Amino acid sequence: MNAFTFYNPTRIFFGEGAISKLEKQLKEYGKTVLLTYGGGSIKKNGVYDAIMAVFAKTGKTVVEVSDIMPNPRTEKVYEGIKACKEHHVDFILAAGGGSVIDCTKMIAAGAKTDEDFWDAFFVKKLKCQEALPFGAVLTLAGTGSEMDCGGVITQWDTQTKISYFSPLLFPKFSILDPTYTYSLPKNQMINGAMDTLSHAFEQYFSRPDESNLSDDLAEAVMKNVIENLNTAIADPTDYVARSNLMWCATMGLNDLIGLGKEQDWITHKIEHALSAFYDVPHGAGLAVVHPNYMLYTYKNGVSKYARFARNIWHVDPTGKTEEQTALEGILRTKDYLKSIGAPSTLGELGVPESSIEAIAEKTILYKTSYSDLKAEDVKAILRLCL
C-alpha cells in the first residue's frame, strides 16, 4: 500500500432511535441553530418534528433554510451564509441527504469569511481558515457526505459543478437512523446505492493492485450493497437491509477504503459536467456513465477487473483469458444495474446526443492509474452511453 495519513473526527450515532443523542450534542454549542433541509420530506416522515422537539427542549433559537435542491446550487449557499451572518448562528444542523449536507458545509465555510465563498474556495482554491460547527441527521444514504470533509456545489449559470475539501468541513456528528430511509421512493434508494457503488469503484480500480486491505474492504462494500439493495427493493422496510445500505454509504467515502490507493474519480468528473448541464440525479448519472467508463478503460487494468469479475460477480474464469473474464464482469455490472431499474442510457436521463461535445469540454481531466483521457475520449465514453 502507498503511504497515507488518515484523519476523521466525525462522531457517528447509528441505529433506530439515534435521534435521542441529538440533545446532548446540541448542548455543546450556542443558542442559535440554522436548520437546513430539502423539499420538505422531513415534514412528512416525522424527522422535522423530532428535531424541533429537541430544539425546544434545549432552548435553541431556530433559523431555517429549506428547499435545498439535488445538485445544490450557489444561490442556496448564499442564502444560508446570509442567514448565519444576520442571525449570528452558532451551529448548523443538516437534515437530509448528501445535497443538503454538501450545501451546509459550504454555508459553514462561507459564514466565516468576508470573501465571496465561490470565488474564494472554488475559483481561487483558498484554504478554509474557519467554519461554523455543524452536524447532520441523515435521511438518504449514498453520498457519504455525513462522514467526509468535501462538498460539491453547482454554479448553474456557468454549468460548473465542482468539489471543495477542507479538514474543517467534517461534521461534528452525524445521526444515522436507517428507519428514516424507509419512505424514500425506489428510484432514490437505487440512485443512492449506485452512488455508493461508484465510490467503491473509484477507489478500488486504481493502483496499487497487489493484495491490500483497502481493496478487500471495497469488495465487501460492493457485495454488501448488491445483496442488501436486492432485499430492500423487495421490502423497503427491511431494517437489516436498510441499515447495511446506510453504513455502506458512509464507509464508501469516509476514506477507509481508499487508504494507500491512488484512486480514480474520472467518472465523477464526467457526471459532474453532465449534471451541471442537465441537473440529473447524481446516482442516476453515475449508473449510466460508470459502466461505460469501465468498458473504455478496463484493458489498462485487466488484472484488477478480472479480480472484480471473480470476487463480485462470481465469474468462472475457466477457459477464459483474463481480458474475457474482466469484460464479463463489466457486462454483468451493466446487466445488474438495468435489472434493478437504474438508467443505462443518456436518453433515459433526458440528455441529448447533441450535448456530448459541451459536456466533454467541461469535464475536468487528469491522469489516473488506468487512464489519461482527453476531451475526445470523454466524447467516446458518452457515445457508449447513448
Side-chain angles (χ1 to χ4, degrees):
M1 297 177 73
N2 296 336
F4 62 83
T5 298
F6 177 67
Y7 170 74
N8 195 314
T10 301
R11 188 184 300 274
I12 297 292
F13 299 102
F14 187 96
E16 186 171 5
I19 196 70
S20 64
K21 306 294 185 180
L22 180 59
E23 180 181 350
K24 182 179 179 181
Q25 298 306 303
L26 290 177
K27 287 180 178 178
E28 298 183 20
Y29 304 100
K31 183 176 178 59
T32 304
V33 176
L34 174 65
L35 177 64
T36 57
Y37 56 97
S41 62
I42 65 168
K43 292 186 176 181
K44 299 175 183 177
N45 60 19
V47 175
Y48 179 86
D49 289 341
I51 291 172
M52 293 302 289
V54 178
F55 285 159
K57 191 173 182 180
T58 52
K60 301 297 183 183
T61 298
V62 184
V63 182
E64 299 185 19
V65 170
S66 62
D67 298 315
I68 295 173
M69 65 288 287
N71 302 316
R73 300 184 188 180
T74 52
E75 54 260 39
K76 298 308 292 188
V77 180
Y78 287 123
E79 181 182 341
I81 292 170
K82 181 180 178 182
C84 288
K85 291 183 175 181
E86 286 186 354
H87 297 279
H88 305 289
V89 166
D90 301 300
F91 185 82
I92 311 174
L93 186 68
S99 295
V100 174
I101 302 172
D102 280 11
C103 188
T104 298
K105 289 175 180 178
M106 297 320 304
I107 292 170
K112 287 294 187 177
T113 179
D114 292 328
E115 294 196 50
D116 177 272
F117 95 91
W118 181 264
D119 185 59
F121 301 127
F122 291 87
V123 178
K124 296 178 181 175
K125 307 293 185 182
L126 299 178
K127 287 186 177 181
C128 178
Q129 301 296 326
E130 187 179 6
L132 278 173
F134 66 95
V137 177
L138 188 66
T139 63
L140 194 161
T143 71
S145 192
E146 65 276 3
M147 201 180 180
D148 73 18
C149 65
V152 182
I153 302 295
T154 300
Q155 188 180 66
W156 187 249
D157 291 345
T158 60
Q159 275 77 53
T160 303
K161 180 179 178 181
I162 49 180
S163 56
Y164 181 81
F165 296 86
S166 168
L168 297 180
L169 298 181
F170 281 105
K172 297 299 182 184
F173 63 86
S174 288
I175 292 171
L176 279 59
D177 184 336
T179 66
Y180 287 176
T181 67
Y182 284 178
S183 60
L184 285 173
K186 177 183 173 183
N187 68 308
Q188 289 190 25
M189 176 176 67
I190 291 171
N191 289 343
M194 182 59 217
D195 200 4
T196 302
L197 285 174
S198 185
H199 291 161
F201 295 160
E202 297 278 27
Q203 295 164 91
Y204 178 80
F205 290 110
S206 68
R207 297 188 181 98
D209 288 325
E210 65 265 26
S211 179
N212 63 82
L213 179 60
S214 293
D215 282 344
D216 293 343
L217 291 173
E219 287 183 357
V221 168
M222 296 175 206
K223 289 186 282 189
N224 199 284
V225 168
I226 293 164
E227 175 184 348
N228 286 285
L229 181 58
N230 290 337
T231 301
I233 288 173
D235 180 5
T237 61
D238 186 299
Y239 181 81
V240 172
R242 299 311 284 256
S243 62
N244 277 295
L245 288 173
M246 181 171 267
W247 188 234
C248 279
T250 305
M251 281 288 292
L253 207 60
N254 63 3
D255 282 345
L256 282 174
I257 66 172
L259 295 177
K261 300 285 295 180
E262 290 182 2
Q263 307 188 33
D264 194 292
W265 300 106
I266 292 295
T267 293
H268 271 67
K269 299 303 182 185
I270 297 173
E271 196 289 323
H272 286 171
L274 185 157
S275 57
F277 281 89
Y278 289 94
D279 205 23
V280 302
H282 181 54
L286 292 171
V288 172
V289 175
H290 214 138
N292 289 298
Y293 176 72
M294 290 176 166
L295 278 175
Y296 195 80
T297 62
Y298 80 96
K299 291 182 182 180
N300 299 324
V302 167
S303 63
K304 178 59 70 63
Y305 277 98
R307 171 181 165 170
F308 168 74
R310 294 190 302 269
N311 293 355
I312 303 303
W313 298 115
H314 309 294
V315 172
D316 184 354
T318 304
K320 301 183 181 77
T321 65
E322 261 206 329
E323 186 173 322
Q324 289 170 330
T325 301
L327 178 59
E328 186 171 340
I330 297 169
L331 295 178
R332 288 202 190 183
T333 303
K334 289 173 70 76
D335 288 344
Y336 172 72
L337 294 176
K338 195 167 186 177
S339 76
I340 61 174
S344 57
T345 67
L346 292 178
E348 291 173 77
L349 300 177
V351 178
E353 183 178 359
S354 60
S355 68
I356 284 177
E357 185 167 344
I359 294 168
E361 294 298 331
K362 204 74 173 180
T363 301
I364 297 170
L365 296 171
Y366 47 82
K367 187 175 182 179
T368 74
S369 290
Y370 306 151
S371 74
D372 188 10
L373 304 186
K374 308 301 181 218
E376 289 303 317
D377 298 297
V378 176
K379 294 174 191 177
I381 292 167
L382 290 171
R383 290 189 189 102
L384 290 175
C385 300
L386 292 172

